[in-house]
């Protein structure tokens, strides 16, 4: 069984993970090999097996940790907000864009390389991703019950919103025409129109710190 306990082990894993994300993003999972990973991380090839037993297990650990981190960051930033569903939806928009534009490499491999997992690990990954999708669906459902949103299907709408917001990481650049805050403001307007707030619902901006 792989061992990673202790401060040194955690630091080494962080180096391996960072190197792996870089290589997978640059070359693709199929083209990357563990010898390349060891060289990039400054380790002996045999040392990698203290952290995983196969190339696919390495990929799964990375993908799983990315999802676990976004769930934890969501709980820390959006979760504590107890105001209206409109506030929570706007907070989610800000959180999601900040997270995915600031962590573009993780976002890319998370969506592109899940296909490389075995069926059993793929199903575990999808189940974990569903927890995040459920968070957004719950916000929309609460808004419908409160009469603040008028949408036909909260689940489908959640998928549409997540896909649209995630797409910003493919083209947004910090030195581009729009500042991140401006981008977030534009997407808040778009998402509110998608959710179709009931007439008379007052928009309130929810401020959320990035992860």
């Amino acid at each position: 069984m792989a061992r990673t306990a202790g401060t040194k082990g955690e630091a080494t894993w962080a180096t391996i993970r960072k190197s792996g994300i870089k290589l997978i993003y640059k070359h693709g999972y199929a083209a990357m090999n563990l010898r390349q990973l060891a060289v990039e991380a400054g380790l002996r090839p045999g040392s990698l097996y203290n952290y995983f037993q196969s190339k696919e297990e390495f990929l799964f650990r990375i993908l799983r940790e990315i999802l676990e981190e976004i769930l934890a960051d969501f709980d820390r930033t959006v979760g504590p907000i107890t105001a209206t569903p409109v506030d929570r939806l706007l907070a989610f928009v800000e959180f999601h864009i900040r997270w995915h534009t600031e962590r573009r490499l993780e976002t890319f491999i998370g969506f592109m390389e899940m296909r490389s997992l075995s069926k059993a690990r793929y199903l575990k990954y999808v189940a974990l991703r569903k927890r995040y999708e459920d968070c957004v669906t719950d916000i929309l459902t609460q808004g419908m019950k409160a009469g603040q949103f008028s949408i036909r299907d909260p689940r489908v709408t959640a998928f549409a919103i997540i896909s649209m917001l995630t797409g910003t990481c493919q083209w947004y650049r910090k030195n581009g025409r729009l500042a991140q805050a401006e981008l977030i403001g534009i997407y808040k307007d778009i998402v509110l129109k998608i959710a179709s707030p009931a007439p008379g619902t007052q928009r309130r901006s929810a401020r959320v710190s990035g992860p």
Side-chain angles (χ1 to χ4, degrees):
M1 183 176 180
R3 56 179 175 82
T4 60
T7 303
K8 183 177 180 180
E10 292 171 359
T12 302
W13 166 247
T15 299
I16 295 170
R17 173 178 147 155
K18 182 178 179 180
S19 299
I21 290 173
K22 177 182 176 181
L23 288 172
I24 294 172
Y25 179 80
K26 183 177 180 180
H27 302 292
Y29 170 76
M32 186 207 78
N33 61 61
L34 295 184
R35 184 170 295 278
Q36 285 178 310
L37 177 60
V39 171
E40 183 72 26
L43 299 170
R44 296 178 179 177
S47 301
L48 297 178
Y49 294 102
N50 291 323
Y51 299 88
F52 50 85
Q53 296 302 310
S54 67
K55 180 181 172 183
E56 195 225 338
E57 183 182 338
F58 169 64
L59 175 66
F60 178 66
R61 181 173 178 181
I62 288 180
L63 296 184
R64 186 195 69 219
E65 288 185 358
I66 290 171
L67 280 178
E68 288 173 344
E69 287 170 10
I70 193 171
L71 282 165
D73 289 339
F74 178 94
D75 288 342
R76 180 173 58 83
T77 55
V78 182
I81 296 174
T82 58
T84 69
V86 171
D87 292 317
R88 287 179 58 79
L89 183 60
L90 294 176
F92 162 73
V93 172
E94 179 168 350
F95 164 77
H96 192 89
I97 290 179
R98 285 190 186 280
W99 204 99
H100 288 81
T101 56
E102 291 171 5
R103 302 181 67 169
R104 294 177 57 248
L105 272 60
E106 290 97 324
T107 299
F108 177 83
I109 68 172
F111 279 87
M112 294 301 296
E113 299 297 354
M114 57 185 288
R115 62 189 175 184
S116 301
L117 296 172
S118 65
K119 182 177 180 180
R121 287 185 171 131
Y122 176 86
L123 291 176
K124 290 180 181 179
Y125 178 80
V126 170
L128 195 58
R129 190 176 68 174
K130 183 177 179 295
R131 286 175 51 192
Y132 187 68
E133 296 163 349
D134 287 344
C135 292
V136 185
T137 303
D138 288 345
I139 293 173
L140 296 174
T141 300
Q142 292 166 11
M144 292 176 67
K145 292 179 178 178
Q148 293 184 324
F149 300 149
S150 176
I151 54 181
R152 293 180 61 179
D153 188 305
R155 190 69 175 173
V156 172
T157 304
F159 290 156
I161 291 173
I162 291 172
S163 178
M164 177 182 67
L165 298 181
T166 303
T168 60
C169 77
Q170 299 179 13
W171 55 265
Y172 175 73
R173 298 293 182 271
K174 289 184 178 180
N175 59 350
R177 181 172 62 88
L178 293 173
Q180 188 182 62
E182 294 177 291
L183 178 70
I184 290 169
I186 291 171
Y187 272 88
K188 283 182 177 181
D189 290 339
I190 293 172
V191 170
L192 278 183
K193 290 177 181 177
I194 290 174
S196 300
T201 300
Q202 183 178 5
R203 169 178 173 172
R204 294 202 297 268
S205 295
R207 298 183 64 82
V208 180
S209 298

